[in-house]
Amino acid sequence: MTRATPIPDTVTLHVPFRVVKRGGRKEMQMPDGAVQPRRPDSALVKALARAFRWKRMLESGEFATIAELAEREGIAPSYMTRVLRLTLLAPDIVEAILDGKQGPGVTLARVLEPFPVEWEAQRFRQSI
């Protein structure tokens, strides 16, 4: 465009994507080959934050048992135990979750399932 060319009143921009429902919410799905920026999964980040907070509270002696802490937090001890296991995740997996770079199969439900304690085995499992 030059100064002599008039600026159009409207501009139409076509962006290829489709809307899909995932877990009750709508997300944009980009076409194959398009790079979609990843955002951290807020449920995973929140669970990690809780796990490390609870671990710190137990290690400091503020609470003597998981049952005592769970009662104070108003949750079931079995759930607290599952969430506390997240503190055993490999540091690079935790970092990937916090950066939103975890694989699409890494969900809160999946990481709360039993997983190997060895970091190398965790990396193999998370890449599936």
Side-chain angles (χ1 to χ4, degrees), residues 113-125:
E113 294 172 0
F115 56 82
V117 178
E118 299 83 19
W119 290 351
E120 195 59 40
Q122 291 175 13
R123 290 181 188 108
F124 176 75
R125 182 173 179 255

Side-chain angles (χ1 to χ4, degrees), residues 66-77:
I66 290 174
E68 183 182 324
L69 178 56
E71 183 179 337
R72 164 85 186 299
E73 294 286 318
I75 59 173

